[in-house]
Structure formats: structure tokens, C-alpha cells
């Protein structure tokens, strides 16, 4: 049986750091208020001339370097993003051109904060089915451009960044199972309700979130999904070594870790320095921990994310 394994990881963060103290000069908030409710202390903001594809490019090059693959070996590109460069073509096609790759499938996945897990699950199926041997999977966002910087309930939460992995076909188990879910009944709880019509923006082009409703749904959904994922793989909870979660809220992450019986030193946290980078948050966290040497070969880890849609998903894998 053919599996897909993560052969390399990469990430990129814009240079500009926006701290809670700096935000407090713009809106009515404070470092204590933000940290106590979210765990976030600072976030990165893309430069005016930085596009989502630019962030994705830098993360991809690092992942490819770690994996020891060249551009001509990549035969599938999937980019998870909610903030594409343009309406179309897809950011994956723009990234493909910037990498100098021509001809292989390249497309975007839009599942907001669950986007990377959705993209990873899709790439895994391509590799398992023999349609790809070396896949580049990227999560990249410039969320700062869809925030209302006068809305303290949302502007304090998000940041920009990109993370990437290279998946390679292998006889050795890597990704063991993935589970994806969505429920459009909750679509208005977390949304950017805008569209383009005849050259004009229709609706409000800023992120809207019902924070308490999102929190309540996420805690329950992620706990249930974690258990279902382990059952699907036929593995006991006690074998799990790591949780690499979507970095949205520290209390949600702590709740999921407690449900899985994991101490927080077995949970990768970047939220305090990155904020919520949506589809980029899981691969950013994965790359940081991998480069710090925190993972050992063969360890079992779970990736989990939930975002607008609602869409949520998980991936269980051997490092």
C-alpha cells in the first residue's frame, strides 16, 4: 500500500510585528485584555507590496529545501487560503509560476482556518491513489487586509503568514487517516459577507465573528473529532505524542489537549507570537516545532483545525 509522508516543512512570517501594546494605541483594548481572553501577544503584518503568493513562495522554498526536492519533482500544488492574490487565477497557479513549475495540477482550497487540513487530506488522497508522487501543500494568508481595524473584537486576533509541507509517496506509513466535516447552518457566525458585482464591492468586506458562538461550537466539535479520528485509525489515545492545533484561542487548544489527555508541553503553541493566521497556522506551528527538533521519527501526532463554514478537520500521522 502506498502512503504519503511529510518529507519537509517550511514557513514564512512578514517582518512587521504588531504588538498588543501597539494595538492598544489604535483601539480600546489592552495587552492584559487580549492575553487573558486569547493568549495572543503579537502578530505579523504583511508589507503593502507582499501578496499571499509571495508568502507562500518563501514557505514553499524552505519546505522543498528540507525535503531535498527540486521544482521539477513537484507534481501537485494545493494552496489553502481565504485571502487570494486576486479573484482568479488561483493563488496556487500564481505560486506555480513563481516556482517555475509548469503543467502539474495546481488549485486552491477555501475552508478558512480548516483549509490546511482540507488541503493536506486532498493531497494525501492524490498520493495514495497514484495521481501524485511529490505534492506541495501550502497554507498562506494576509488576513490583515480583511480586518476592520476599528473592531477590537476581531482585529486583535489575526495575523499574516504562510506554512508549507512537501508530501512524498512512501511504502512507510505517514498520514494514517484524515477526517473532514462541514456544516453550513453556521455560516453566518464567522464570515466575510462581501462579493464583487459590476466592479463594486457588495456587502461588508470585513471579517465578522460571533466570538462566544464560535468558541462554544469549536470546543465541542474538536473534542469529538479528535476521538473519532483515533477510532478511525484503530489507535488508543495513550499512543498520541503530539497535538499540532489551529492557533485560534489558547482556551480552545487547552480544552482539546485535556480531552486527549495531553500535557501542554506536548502541544505546539505559536499563537502568542503569530496570532490566528487561519490556514497558515498549522503548517507554521508544524515547521517551527520540526526545526526545533521537538518531534522524533515515528511519533504519532494529530493536526486539527476549525474555521468558517463551519468547516473542520483532522489528520493523524506518523512523523
Amino acid at each position: 500500500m502506498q502512503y504519503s509522508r511529510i518529507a519537509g516543512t517550511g514557513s514564512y512570517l512578514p517582518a512587521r510585528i504588531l504588538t498588543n501594546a501597539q494595538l492598544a494605541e489604535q483601539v480600546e483594548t489592552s495587552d492584559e485584555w487580549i492575553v487573558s481572553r486569547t493568549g495572543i501577544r503579537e502578530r505579523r503584518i504583511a508589507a503593502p507590496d507582499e501578496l499571499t503568493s509571495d508568502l507562500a513562495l518563501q514557505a514553499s522554498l524552505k519546505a522543498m529545501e528540507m525535503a531535498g526536492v527540486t521544482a521539477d519533482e513537484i507534481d501537485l500544488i494545493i494552496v489553502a487560503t481565504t485571502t487570494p492574490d486576486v479573484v482568479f487565477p488561483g493563488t496556487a497557479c500564481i505560486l506555480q509560476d513563481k516556482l517555475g513549475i509548469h503543467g502539474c495540477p495546481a488549485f486552491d482550497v477555501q475552508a478558512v482556518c480548516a483549509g490546511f487540513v482540507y488541503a493536506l487530506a486532498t493531497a494525501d488522497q492524490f498520493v495514495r491513489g497514484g495521481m501524485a508522487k511529490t505534492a506541495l501543500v501550502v497554507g498562506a494568508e494576509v488576513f490583515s487586509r480583511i480586518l476592520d481595524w476599528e473592531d477590537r473584537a476581531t482585529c486583535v486576533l489575526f495575523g499574516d503568514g504562510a506554512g508549507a509541507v512537501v508530501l512524498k509517496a512512501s511504502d512507510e506509513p505517514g498520514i494514517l487517516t484524515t477526517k473532514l466535516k462541514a456544516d453550513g447552518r453556521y455560516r453566518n457566525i464567522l464570515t466575510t459577507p462581501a462579493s464583487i458585482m459590476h466592479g463594486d464591492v457588495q456587502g461588508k468586506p470585513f471579517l465578522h465573528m460571533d466570538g462566544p458562538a464560535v468558541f462554544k461550537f469549536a470546543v465541542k466539535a474538536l473534542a469529538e473529532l479528535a476521538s473519532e479520528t483515533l477510532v478511525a485509525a484503530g489507535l488508543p489515545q495513550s499512543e498520541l505524542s503530539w497535538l499540532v492545533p489551529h492557533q485560534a484561542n489558547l482556551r480552545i487548544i487547552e480544552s482539546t489537549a485535556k480531552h486527549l489527555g495531553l500535557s501542554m508541553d506536548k502541544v505546539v503553541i505559536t499563537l502568542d507570537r503569530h496570532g490566528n493566521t487561519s490556514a497558515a497556522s498549522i503548517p507554521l506551528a508544524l515547521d517551527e516545532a520540526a526545526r526545533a527538533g521537538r518531534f522524533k521519527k515515528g511519533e504519532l501526532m494529530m493536526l486539527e483545525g476549525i474555521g468558517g463554514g463551519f468547516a473542520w478537520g483532522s489528520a493523524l500521522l506518523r512523523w
Side-chain angles (χ1 to χ4, degrees), residues 5-318:
R5 287 186 64 86
I6 293 178
T9 63
S11 61
Y12 175 78
L13 290 164
R16 182 188 169 195
I17 297 173
L18 181 61
T19 66
N20 290 347
Q22 290 171 318
L23 267 176
E25 297 174 359
Q26 301 176 210
V27 294
E28 186 180 346
T29 190
S30 68
D31 179 68
E32 188 278 330
W33 190 90
I34 298 170
V35 173
S36 64
R37 286 162 177 78
T38 69
I40 300 168
R41 297 184 181 277
E42 62 185 40
R43 70 287 294 146
R44 300 296 185 100
I45 305 296
D49 61 347
E50 278 187 311
L51 302 174
T52 297
S53 63
D54 294 326
L55 276 60
L57 174 63
Q58 297 305 315
S60 298
L61 291 172
K62 292 176 182 177
M64 291 164 62
E65 180 183 26
M66 182 187 286
V69 302
T70 56
D72 58 0
E73 294 177 76
I74 301 293
D75 54 12
L76 171 67
I77 301 171
I78 307 178
V79 174
T81 187
T82 308
T83 53
D85 288 9
V86 292
V87 173
F88 71 85
T91 303
C93 289
I94 299 172
L95 172 63
Q96 182 188 44
D97 182 46
K98 289 182 177 182
L99 286 168
I101 301 170
H102 311 288
C104 75
F107 56 91
D108 291 0
V109 167
Q110 214 281 44
V112 199
C113 302
F116 180 76
V117 176
Y118 264 66
L120 190 71
T122 303
D124 175 55
Q125 293 301 311
F126 266 78
V127 174
R128 284 175 181 261
M131 294 179 66
K133 291 183 178 179
T134 307
L136 177 63
V137 185
V138 186
E141 302 281 16
V142 284
F143 247 65
S144 61
R145 291 171 191 166
I146 59 170
L147 297 177
D148 179 352
W149 288 97
E150 295 181 357
D151 178 11
R152 74 167 188 167
T154 57
C155 73
V156 303
L157 302 177
F158 296 90
D160 303 335
V165 301
V166 172
L167 285 185
K168 296 193 73 173
S170 174
D171 295 330
E172 186 180 359
I175 297 179
L176 303 176
T177 189
T178 58
K179 291 190 75 68
L180 305 178
K181 296 191 176 189
D183 194 331
R185 291 177 297 176
Y186 301 94
R187 66 187 184 276
N188 294 322
I189 293 174
L190 179 56
T191 179
T192 300
S195 61
I196 297 174
M197 184 179 294
H198 307 307
D200 297 322
V201 176
Q202 305 293 311
K204 190 176 181 181
F206 298 120
L207 182 143
H208 163 77
M209 182 174 70
D210 181 341
V214 171
F215 181 88
K216 182 179 179 181
F217 187 95
V219 167
K220 184 174 184 291
L222 291 175
E224 291 176 351
L225 182 65
S227 296
E228 291 173 16
T229 306
L230 287 165
V231 169
L235 292 169
Q237 183 174 296
S238 58
E239 195 172 331
L240 191 64
S241 295
W242 290 97
L243 174 66
V244 186
H246 167 51
Q247 309 284 315
N249 182 291
L250 187 59
R251 290 182 293 168
I252 295 174
I253 295 171
E254 288 172 340
S255 175
T256 306
K258 182 178 180 181
H259 179 79
L260 288 169
L262 286 175
S263 61
M264 289 303 291
D265 64 337
K266 290 298 183 179
V267 181
V268 180
I269 301 291
T270 58
L271 176 71
D272 55 329
R273 290 161 288 114
H274 299 175
N276 181 346
T277 54
S278 189
S281 74
I282 292 175
L284 272 167
L286 192 68
D287 181 56
E288 181 173 289
R291 290 178 185 271
R294 297 179 68 183
F295 306 143
K296 296 179 182 177
K297 183 175 172 57
E299 285 187 319
L300 186 68
M301 66 175 61
M302 185 179 295
L303 318 183
E304 255 196 343
I306 186 168
F310 273 131
W312 65 106
S314 64
L316 191 69
L317 59 94
R318 296 279 181 194

